[in-house]
Amino acid sequence: PEQRPFKLGPLLENTLDFLDQQIQKQKVKVMKELRDHLPAVTGDPDQLQQVFLNLILNSIQSMPKGGELRLIASPRWISKEGLEEGQRQYVEIRVEDTGTGIGKEIIENIFNPFFTTKEKEKGTGLGLTVSQGIIQDHEGWVEVESEVGRGSIFKVYLPAVRE
């Protein structure tokens, strides 16, 4: 993968533009909170766009009768085991939806290869597996919160470029 510093805001805006037809078709209302002064991240913009395309598309598809999609990006200082300096700045990207949600028994398997709850023609079960791998290759991680009938929140953490 190409490794270069870049800003996530324009990449996320571009990703939403790319999915605009799908968003309109599903009657999804998009709320964005993309901070102007987000720190840059280092990575491969094409690979990271693939991750956000997948996460946003999954959210849209989880709202067949319409709903609300929130895309939020903000800086966070996080203490993580194994970090020598104690804390490091990350960019947290949240993809939140008011969709069908994911049950606890399913959530445990969503990152497993070929696991899908979609019909055969609609998904291969590789999107989240590949997305998680890309994020891990960028020294980040993905967290998921979901409740059946209330929607899901996918949080992606990517290390910010050190000043």
Side-chain angles (χ1 to χ4, degrees), residues 110-118 122-130:
I110 60 173
F111 293 107
N112 292 344
F114 305 110
F115 180 83
T116 185
T117 57
K118 296 178 184 175
K122 304 237 173 160
T124 61
L126 288 173
L128 288 175
T129 305
V130 169

Side-chain angles (χ1 to χ4, degrees), residues 23-159:
I23 290 167
Q24 302 296 325
K25 189 173 141 192
Q26 293 283 107
K27 297 179 175 54
V28 170
K29 182 180 179 192
V30 177
M31 311 285 285
K32 296 181 293 195
E33 290 178 38
L34 307 176
R35 303 272 155 74
D36 289 337
H37 302 292
L38 276 180
V41 298
T42 298
D44 186 319
D46 293 337
Q47 284 191 349
L48 289 171
Q49 184 162 44
Q50 180 184 346
V51 169
F52 297 116
L53 273 169
N54 184 52
L55 292 178
I56 293 168
L57 192 56
N58 282 352
S59 282
I60 293 166
Q61 291 171 345
S62 79
M63 299 182 280
K65 295 182 168 93
E68 190 174 289
L69 170 79
R70 294 184 70 198
L71 185 61
I72 304 163
S74 54
R76 294 266 183 266
W77 285 94
I78 297 174
S79 298
K80 206 166 181 252
E81 200 174 314
L83 279 182
E84 294 96 41
E85 65 273 13
Q87 273 199 335
R88 177 152 186 203
Q89 189 176 35
Y90 288 83
V91 178
E92 177 192 68
I93 305 94
R94 296 168 66 105
V95 179
E96 303 180 5
D97 64 60
T98 57
T100 53
I102 307 166
K104 285 183 181 17
E105 65 288 344
I106 292 174
I107 231 168
E108 296 169 7
N109 293 302
I110 60 173
F111 293 107
N112 292 344
F114 305 110
F115 180 83
T116 185
T117 57
K118 296 178 184 175
E119 299 161 28
K120 283 211 185 321
E121 312 79 53
K122 304 237 173 160
T124 61
L126 288 173
L128 288 175
T129 305
V130 169
S131 294
Q132 184 182 47
I134 290 170
I135 295 302
Q136 288 172 344
D137 288 347
H138 285 79
E139 298 176 31
W141 70 94
V142 182
E143 294 177 0
V144 185
E145 296 172 19
S146 190
E147 194 177 323
V148 173
R150 302 207 58 169
S152 301
I153 302 171
F154 280 77
K155 299 182 212 172
V156 174
Y157 294 90
L158 293 166

